[in-house]
Amino acid sequence: GPGGPGPAEVGLGALPAELRAAVRALVGDLDALFAALGLREESFAVGALSRVVAAELASCAPARNRRRTATNKASVVFVDRTLDLAGAVGHHGDSLAEKILSVLPKLPGHKTDVMVNMVELTALQTTDESCNIIAPGCLAQPNDPAAKALWESFMNLKQKEAVMEARRHLVEAASRENLPIKMSMGEVTPEQLSSYTQLFRNNLKALENHCGLLQLVLATVQTLKHPQTSKWDNFLAFERLLLQ
């Protein structure tokens, strides 16, 4: 098309047989669509495979016949989206939500939620991380406005700010329940968040009122303490170095 051939031009004949068949099928579908719309198209291509598709559409006999009689003009741009794959496999860094979803084990039967170990909020004392006596917590808390707001923070804020939001929500909840909480300034640590959650453990009413929020805070604590998190940070630093 008018985009012109690139230095690594690939013809249809150079493609594997299965891909050639897929391109021809795609071109056939496009031709049928353009025929239904009465289009006489001018094709532009960005990317090697897009050029193959545009060239095949330009040269196939049914499309040529259609363009002779069609009355509506249109410009069609074919764009290779190969680089989209890079975004899907990259680490995008400073999102606490992304780390939680990557580090904690998946909730059985779910693809987008995780298991949060709730043993800390019970009288059960065990060091066995695989202990399944206590039902796991999770991230989805549709009936808890505070938890929903906190999860939005996990997705939209940088990790440092999101962790501070977790502390703020926890302090506000403890204050409403008249729990003996001592607000501290400075950097938020997983140990500090864990100590705050312990205040709710022996108060069943407070535990029930803020169960959703506590699940998200414990997910944060367990993610920050997880050994995979430090590896994640190392990978991020290496990716930034490669980009530079």
Side-chain angles (χ1 to χ4, degrees), residues 91-103 151-160 162-163 223-224 229 232-233 236 240:
H91 303 88
H92 300 290
D94 215 14
S95 166
L96 183 57
E98 189 177 4
K99 289 185 179 179
I100 291 172
L101 290 168
S102 299
V103 164
W151 179 244
E152 291 284 338
S153 301
F154 286 0
M155 290 191 292
N156 298 322
L157 300 180
K158 291 185 176 181
Q159 178 178 314
K160 183 177 180 180
V163 173
T223 298
L224 295 178
T229 300
W232 178 295
D233 293 334
L236 282 176
R240 292 190 186 108

Side-chain angles (χ1 to χ4, degrees), residues 48-78:
L49 186 59
S50 291
R51 292 189 190 98
V52 173
V53 174
E56 184 69 12
L57 181 63
S59 62
C60 76
R64 287 204 304 269
N65 294 334
R66 169 179 51 77
R67 285 193 293 271
R68 290 193 188 100
T69 58
T71 56
N72 301 320
K73 291 183 178 180
S75 295
V76 181
V77 183
F78 296 94

Side-chain angles (χ1 to χ4, degrees), residues 83-90 92:
L83 283 177
D84 286 0
L85 295 175
V89 300
H92 300 290

Side-chain angles (χ1 to χ4, degrees), residues 50-203:
S50 291
R51 292 189 190 98
V52 173
V53 174
E56 184 69 12
L57 181 63
S59 62
C60 76
R64 287 204 304 269
N65 294 334
R66 169 179 51 77
R67 285 193 293 271
R68 290 193 188 100
T69 58
T71 56
N72 301 320
K73 291 183 178 180
S75 295
V76 181
V77 183
F78 296 94
V79 182
D80 281 8
R81 301 295 297 274
T82 313
L83 283 177
D84 286 0
L85 295 175
V89 300
H91 303 88
H92 300 290
D94 215 14
S95 166
L96 183 57
E98 189 177 4
K99 289 185 179 179
I100 291 172
L101 290 168
S102 299
V103 164
L104 296 187
K106 288 288 181 283
L107 192 65
H110 294 259
K111 298 294 185 184
T112 57
D113 210 336
V114 299
M115 290 195 296
V116 181
N117 192 326
M118 303 295 289
V119 172
E120 279 189 53
L121 296 180
T122 73
L124 178 65
Q125 299 300 312
T126 178
T127 56
D128 181 8
E129 293 185 359
S130 63
C131 174
N132 58 7
I133 297 173
I134 305 300
C138 64
L139 302 175
Q141 303 296 332
N143 300 318
D144 188 330
K148 288 174 67 176
L150 183 57
W151 179 244
E152 291 284 338
S153 301
F154 286 0
M155 290 191 292
N156 298 322
L157 300 180
K158 291 185 176 181
Q159 178 178 314
K160 183 177 180 180
E161 297 169 341
V163 173
M164 291 181 70
E165 276 295 292
R167 179 175 67 181
R168 184 181 69 80
H169 277 276
L170 206 53
V171 169
E172 288 181 356
S175 298
R176 283 198 295 272
E177 300 294 339
N178 296 316
L179 298 176
I181 193 164
K182 293 181 180 179
M183 178 62 176
S184 59
M185 305 304 291
E187 184 179 356
V188 186
T189 65
E191 290 75 19
Q192 182 189 81
L193 292 177
S194 185
S195 68
Y196 285 176
T197 61
Q198 293 298 309
L199 297 173
F200 292 80
R201 190 174 73 173
N202 296 320
N203 188 322

